[in-house]
Amino acid sequence: MPKAQETLLEIDLNALKHNFDHLKSRLNSNTKFMAVVKAFAYGSDACEIANYLQKLEVEYFAVAFVHEGVQLRNAGITKPILVLHPQAANFKILIDNCLEPNLYNAKILNQFIAVASAENQTNYPVHIKFNTGLNRLGFSETDVDYLSTTVKKTTAITVKSIFSHLAASEDLNEKEFTLNQIAKFKRIADSITKALNYKPLLHICNTSGILNYPEAHFDMVRSGIGLYGFGNSAKENKNFKPIGTLKTIISQIHTIQKGDSVGYNRAYTTDSVIKSATLPIGHADGIGRQYGKGKGYVIINNQKAPILGNVCMDMIMVNVTDIDCEEGDEVIVFGPNATAEALAETANTISYELITGISQRVKRLFVGQ
Ligand SMILES: *Cc1c(COP(=O)(O)O)cnc(C)c1O
């Protein structure tokens, strides 16, 4: 790999293929795979990633919002796309782009039926979400009769799937809670299927659900973080390869005298002579201020260099006192070895937040395949 000459996020399609193959190996051959590519495919590049996965015969895609789905359509994605959290104001655009809405309560169900009817749609595919314990979005179990009656009254829509979302699939201490969610989902799915007289697809598992609850894969699974290389546990991480490597370079090296300070608000003051390196990456690139003041670090020549003082908008300064390095050297912020998960932990957050936060001004470079 050529050395980085600026800040860039390198995305390894071979690693993506490895992760997809691994996830598939955990499924029955007839279980469908929905690739979750919301939030720029977790901060990578939704169009590139979806195009690649479309060639690998992923059955379904999911995004959070309508405009994310429109971008995929404009980039040549022809597979079905579920919009997990659509807003009614965008329903016409959703229909114009053949996107499929999650309908999660009576209000949005009726709003969608009204727009679909006005657009002369028949059997428009929709997905019905049930709340089984996350208490975020979804109909409740007591809505089953209302829902089936409403759906049967209109020809505008057809229920393509019934789904729910697990609250703590990665946490085995919450196994009982999760099994309860799964049991509740089964009950709901049974009664809806009976009432509708046809069989929508059923799905409840995200990545950790796939890994920890093989009995709950139903007809389809929805994976995001696993595709991008994280298994959410030390044991499962071994089966995955992080697809993203965030790189930058050293712009300038300073020798800082004892008692001098580094950066804004003089947040770091030395008690001995140190060597600092200034890097062209800051909070506007997704390295938040919570990584500053010695919590977060980068890797230079295989050694950890902690962040000195406050993170600036476009720069950080790191401590390279004991690292043999010079201006222009490559710096790894995270990658397959120094993982985004480990860096996120230093700021009390999770890989999901760090990787989805890498801003659009960071250049993406695709490698592999
Ligand atoms: C984001 C999301 C997923 C993907 O979860 P991962 O843990 O990244 O696999 C699945 N389902 C829903 C409803 C989501 O919002």
Side-chain angles (χ1 to χ4, degrees):
M1 211 61 63
K3 290 229 156 157
Q5 295 182 309
E6 62 185 319
T7 300
L8 55 87
L9 181 60
E10 214 171 78
I11 296 153
D12 181 355
L13 293 173
N14 292 331
L16 178 64
K17 167 118 178 30
H18 168 92
N19 299 332
F20 176 67
D21 288 345
H22 180 72
L23 288 161
K24 289 282 280 186
S25 78
R26 306 282 285 258
L27 307 178
N28 287 327
S29 58
N30 53 356
T31 307
K32 291 181 169 32
F33 194 100
M34 176 183 276
V36 181
V37 292
K38 61 192 179 191
F40 299 102
Y42 289 41
S44 51
D45 181 317
C47 296
E48 290 274 350
I49 297 284
N51 261 307
Y52 183 75
L53 290 171
Q54 183 162 264
K55 286 187 213 126
L56 297 183
E57 295 182 1
V58 157
E59 281 92 354
Y60 243 98
F61 289 101
V63 292
F65 303 122
V66 169
H67 65 269
E68 295 180 304
V70 173
Q71 281 192 345
L72 293 184
R73 286 284 181 250
N74 292 341
I77 299 302
T78 54
K79 292 270 162 91
I81 302 172
L82 164 59
V83 181
L84 291 164
H85 196 175
Q87 279 73 54
N90 300 322
F91 278 161
K92 187 173 173 336
I93 302 171
L94 176 143
I95 291 172
D96 289 345
N97 286 274
C98 296
L99 306 172
E100 302 178 4
N102 164 22
L103 302 176
Y104 52 84
N105 67 7
K107 183 166 191 226
I108 199 153
L109 172 67
N110 288 307
Q111 283 172 317
F112 189 75
I113 291 172
V115 177
S117 305
E119 296 287 313
N120 297 318
Q121 297 295 322
T122 50
N123 294 324
Y124 197 93
V126 303
H127 303 258
I128 304 290
K129 189 173 202 181
F130 277 89
N131 172 25
T132 54
L134 179 59
N135 289 321
R136 194 171 70 173
L137 288 181
F139 283 96
S140 61
E141 192 168 6
T142 52
D143 294 327
V144 166
D145 287 342
Y146 169 81
L147 187 66
S148 42
T149 312
T150 310
V151 169
K152 283 202 280 191
K153 269 199 299 219
T154 173
T155 54
I157 61 169
T158 188
V159 179
K160 186 94 170 270
S161 86
I162 309 250
F163 74 111
S164 187
H165 195 34
L166 298 172
S169 57
E170 73 284 7
D171 184 355
L172 294 177
N173 294 320
E174 294 291 358
K175 187 156 189 177
E176 197 187 324
F177 182 90
T178 304
L179 292 174
N180 242 314
Q181 279 197 277
I182 294 166
K184 195 170 184 181
F185 179 63
K186 263 192 198 143
R187 268 198 323 266
I188 293 168
D190 281 351
S191 34
I192 287 268
T193 304
K194 256 191 220 120
L196 287 180
N197 263 327
Y198 56 89
K199 272 202 160 143
L201 296 170
L202 306 181
H203 48 112
I204 192 169
C205 282
N206 63 343
T207 299
S208 288
I210 296 171
L211 304 176
N212 294 330
Y213 298 92
E215 69 278 21
H217 290 174
F218 296 99
D219 301 309
M220 181 156 73
V221 294
R222 308 183 300 269
S223 177
I225 200 78
L227 285 172
Y228 310 113
F230 300 92
N232 294 339
S233 75
K235 178 168 156 260
E236 291 292 354
N237 281 342
K238 295 198 183 86
N239 295 316
F240 294 92
K241 295 183 182 171
I243 69 164
T245 303
L246 181 59
K247 297 178 170 178
T248 186
I249 57 166
I250 298 177
S251 300
Q252 190 173 11
I253 292 178
H254 287 285
T255 299
I256 316 280
Q257 298 305 327
K258 184 176 169 179
D260 278 356
S261 59
V262 178
Y264 285 132
N265 316 109
R266 308 194 63 206
Y268 181 83
T269 309
T270 65
D271 47 21
S272 58
V273 176
I274 66 158
K275 193 168 69 162
S276 76
T278 302
L279 318 178
I281 186 170
H283 61 73
D285 302 290
I287 307 302
R289 277 174 64 101
Q290 65 273 26
Y291 291 95
K293 298 186 178 171
K295 291 208 180 79
Y297 53 83
V298 299
I299 306 294
I300 299 173
N301 293 327
N302 294 316
Q303 284 176 273
K304 275 188 188 178
I307 297 173
L308 291 168
N310 283 321
V311 171
C312 312
M313 188 184 293
D314 315 306
M315 282 171 256
I316 51 176
M317 282 70 87
V318 299
N319 193 337
V320 292
T321 308
D322 300 320
I323 302 176
D324 183 20
C325 59
E326 55 189 65
E327 292 169 355
D329 278 2
E330 185 173 272
V331 176
I332 305 292
V333 182
F334 60 69
N337 301 319
T339 65
E341 195 173 49
L343 180 55
E345 267 171 31
T346 67
N348 272 322
T349 184
I350 54 176
S351 60
Y352 294 70
E353 187 185 15
L354 178 56
I355 63 176
T356 59
I358 301 310
S359 77
Q360 290 298 301
R361 82 171 177 188
V362 175
K363 190 193 228 176
R364 271 67 174 164
L365 178 71
F366 285 83
V367 300
Q369 298 295 309

